[in-house]
Amino acid sequence: STSSTTTSSLQAQAQEASPPTLEAILFDCDGVLADTERDGHRPAFNQAFRNNNIDEEWDVDRYGKLLEVGGGKERMTAHWNEV
């Protein structure tokens, strides 16, 4: 019947228009899913040094050593205490 066809059509349109359902949630810590330390944070530190006329450049090896210190503020303090 026309009524059931219209109802089915409206239900199909409503399903298409509804937002997708949540299928997964990902939790991440820096460096778990991507190497954000070496390829993200380190270049950002180096850019900040340049922007502020600080004569410093952290290469991959130096930053790798600094990563032995947990926490950004603590890492910066450890570096400046060494140099």
Side-chain angles (χ1 to χ4, degrees):
S1 76
T2 304
S3 176
S4 64
T5 303
T6 302
T7 302
S8 296
S9 177
L10 290 174
Q11 288 173 340
Q13 289 174 5
Q15 286 177 345
E16 290 175 15
S18 65
T21 59
L22 183 63
E23 294 184 24
I25 297 175
L26 293 178
F27 294 94
D28 180 34
C29 293
D30 286 347
V32 174
L33 296 178
D35 194 351
T36 55
E37 293 291 349
R38 187 191 70 205
D39 299 329
H41 294 181
R42 185 185 62 83
F45 276 118
N46 288 334
Q47 183 65 50
F49 296 151
R50 285 189 296 276
N51 291 350
N52 291 282
N53 299 315
I54 298 171
D55 187 24
E56 193 66 41
E57 177 85 14
W58 289 348
D59 63 19
V60 171
D61 290 336
R62 174 67 181 144
Y63 197 65
K65 181 72 175 159
L66 288 170
L67 288 175
E68 293 174 6
V69 177
K73 292 182 288 190
E74 295 81 1
R75 188 172 300 135
M76 293 292 289
T77 300
H79 170 73
W80 297 118
N81 285 339
E82 285 182 24
V83 294

